[in-house]
Amino acid sequence: MQSIQRGAAILRLLARSSGRLGVGEIASSLGLPRGTAHGLLRTLQLVGFVEQDGATGKYQLGAALLHLGTSYLDVNELRSRAINWADALAARSCESVKIGTVLDGQVLVVHHVFRPDDTLQTLDVGSLLPMHATALGKVLLAFDAGASAALGNGHLEAFTRRTIVVPRELASSLARIREIGWAAQVEEMTVGEAGIAAPIRGHGGLVVGAIGISGAVERICDVKGQPNTALVTFVRDAARAVSRDLGASRW
């Protein structure tokens, strides 16, 4: 516990500094023995939280820590900008709405609006969903090369008999999603459930997340089992609105 507290103190000190700091400066600032400060810095360097300048031997915050901070801000900005539009989508579609981003090859649900009725529902914020078996995940795979790389060529788990588990078939499905601009899943994750999702873009058109609805197949799909066109329009309109708020010029 003491090592964690001291490591956190070093990171805060480096964050406040206008330049790089040497071991001695860090040790004296925090009242630590020089050897202790050096050991903590070596550990933080190993995990990428600090970097050492080869010429001066001084330390600064590392790229891994900066990436974590940026991801945190991105998720929170996405959620804050999307809240009103997600509420409106739930009201228009009368279905549950989720917003997701990529995390370690899965979909992290960062916002969830319940279906506007009196049924018992469970909050899914913070849950992780499979990318290949959900509309949110397939959108992220189709439009985010990083997400696709994170999934890799590993085993695709079958959740139902309709789950796409053949990489070639998934690739074909993703190509179609890129062409039409939205994704759907019908009983690929859960029997009796379907979903529709569209990409959320930020500055420069970069996909930063996805927004979608999910619910019973008979409500999401028409009599032929195809996604209801009105619901597709609602989802795409919401995705465009959030994207505009995030600065996506193409929308």
Side-chain angles (χ1 to χ4, degrees):
M1 182 64 71
Q2 187 181 56
S3 294
I4 293 174
Q5 291 173 337
R6 288 174 170 176
I10 289 175
L11 294 175
R12 285 194 290 267
L13 180 64
L14 290 173
R16 291 199 301 264
S17 174
S18 58
R20 301 182 181 92
L21 297 177
V23 177
E25 294 172 299
I26 293 170
S28 61
S29 296
L30 300 178
L32 296 175
R34 185 184 178 93
T36 299
H38 185 256
L40 290 168
L41 285 164
R42 289 293 300 275
T43 300
L44 292 170
Q45 185 179 5
L46 285 173
V47 297
F49 285 3
V50 302
E51 295 174 352
Q52 185 179 31
D53 180 67
T56 65
K58 293 188 175 184
Y59 294 87
Q60 64 183 8
L61 291 180
L65 185 64
L66 294 174
H67 174 71
L68 287 176
T70 301
S71 298
Y72 175 79
L73 292 173
D74 287 347
V75 166
N76 280 274
E77 182 180 9
L78 172 62
R79 183 166 47 210
S80 64
R81 296 294 184 93
I83 285 176
N84 290 337
W85 299 111
D87 288 343
L89 177 57
R92 292 183 75 189
S93 66
C94 296
E95 298 295 346
S96 168
V97 175
K98 293 186 181 73
I99 296 171
T101 60
V102 180
L103 179 65
D104 296 333
Q106 299 182 84
V107 181
L108 171 66
V109 178
V110 300
H111 189 59
H112 179 197
V113 181
F114 285 159
R115 181 172 180 244
D117 60 18
D118 296 327
T119 58
L120 181 64
Q121 300 174 66
T122 302
L123 187 65
D124 286 339
V125 171
S127 63
L128 294 170
L129 307 176
M131 301 194 74
H132 67 291
T134 58
L136 289 172
K138 288 196 286 185
V139 160
L140 294 170
L141 285 173
F143 291 98
D144 186 334
S148 184
L151 187 65
N153 296 317
H155 171 72
L156 299 177
E157 181 179 354
F159 296 93
T160 73
R161 63 181 181 82
R162 302 192 66 168
T163 307
I164 300 175
V165 295
V166 179
R168 182 177 65 257
E169 293 179 7
L170 180 60
S172 176
S173 175
L174 298 180
R176 176 59 177 164
I177 291 167
R178 285 189 289 271
E179 180 181 330
I180 63 177
W182 55 276
Q185 69 84 12
V186 181
E187 297 188 297
E188 294 175 42
M189 174 66 184
T190 304
V191 174
E193 184 177 287
I196 301 168
I200 295 173
R201 297 179 184 272
H203 290 286
L206 179 69
V207 171
V208 296
I211 185 170
I213 62 173
S214 59
V217 172
E218 58 267 24
R219 297 195 307 265
I220 300 293
C221 299
D222 58 25
V223 293
K224 296 181 179 179
Q226 297 301 309
N228 183 289
T229 55
L231 293 179
V232 171
T233 298
F234 293 162
V235 171
R236 299 193 73 189
D237 286 348
R240 290 189 185 101
V242 179
S243 297
R244 283 194 297 269
D245 274 359
L246 289 171
S249 58
R250 66 172 294 172
W251 298 108

